[in-house]
């Protein structure tokens, strides 16, 4: 191989290695920002792996909402009418947050309690997030069939 061929080969090799490194960094950043949605049934079944942040959606169970004396720490249960998950949220809840209404929370599981960093409530009486509606439907079907 002459010098010109070696330079060209080295240039192509550096380009391929650089492209591979950039691709790996982009995929790693994408993966760490990916947030999955789970229903209370999936959480109760242990489908959530590790201490990863995820979204939990369902209905706020009637009679489950309590607020601590500090005025910011809220406790409630999210249900899909088959299973329930206890949720703790420190912060101001959305104005449309109500018992019996759809909610999507984002956070992580700590000692069996979902500690939410964000709570999203439905925005009008006709809206329910697609993931929540699907989870509720699946829970009702499994409840009806006894699975």
């Amino acid at each position: 191989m002459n010098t010109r061929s070696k330079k060209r080969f080295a240039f192509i090799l550096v380009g391929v290695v650089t492209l591979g490194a950039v691709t790996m960094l982009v995929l790693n950043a994408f993966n760490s920002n990916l947030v999955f949605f789970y229903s209370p049934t999936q959480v109760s079944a242990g489908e959530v792996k590790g201490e990863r942040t995820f979204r939990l959606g369902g209905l706020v169970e009637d009679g489950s909402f309590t607020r601590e004396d500090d005025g910011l720490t809220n406790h409630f249960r999210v249900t899909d009418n088959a299973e329930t998950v206890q949720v703790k949220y420190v912060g101001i809840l959305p104005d449309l947050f109500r018992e019996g209404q759809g909610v999507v929370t984002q956070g992580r599981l700590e000692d069996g309690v979902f500690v939410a960093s964000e709570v999203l409530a439905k925005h009008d009486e006709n809206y329910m997030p697609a993931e929540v509606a699907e989870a509720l439907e699946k829970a009702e079907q499994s409840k009806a069939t006894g699975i």
Side-chain angles (χ1 to χ4, degrees), residues 73-98:
T73 306
N74 307 286
H75 299 272
F76 56 93
R77 289 188 301 272
V78 173
T79 184
D80 59 4
N81 295 325
E83 296 289 337
T84 61
V85 174
Q86 183 68 37
V87 177
K88 176 183 177 184
Y89 175 66
V90 178
I92 298 172
L93 290 167
D95 289 339
L96 296 173
F97 179 88
R98 305 268 187 282

Side-chain angles (χ1 to χ4, degrees), residues 39-49 83:
S39 69
T41 298
Q42 291 172 307
V43 172
S44 297
E47 292 184 27
V48 179
K49 304 294 182 215
E83 296 289 337

Side-chain angles (χ1 to χ4, degrees), residues 28-42:
N28 187 31
F30 178 73
N31 188 34
S32 60
N33 288 325
L34 194 62
V35 179
F36 292 102
F37 175 86
Y38 291 95
S39 69
T41 298
Q42 291 172 307

Side-chain angles (χ1 to χ4, degrees), residues 1-42:
M1 263 207 250
N2 61 27
T3 313
R4 192 171 173 191
S5 302
K6 288 180 183 179
K7 286 182 182 179
R8 186 180 304 144
F9 179 72
F11 182 73
I12 291 172
L13 184 63
V14 168
V16 168
V17 169
T18 302
L19 182 63
V22 168
T23 302
M24 197 166 85
L25 289 172
V26 168
L27 290 176
N28 187 31
F30 178 73
N31 188 34
S32 60
N33 288 325
L34 194 62
V35 179
F36 292 102
F37 175 86
Y38 291 95
S39 69
T41 298
Q42 291 172 307

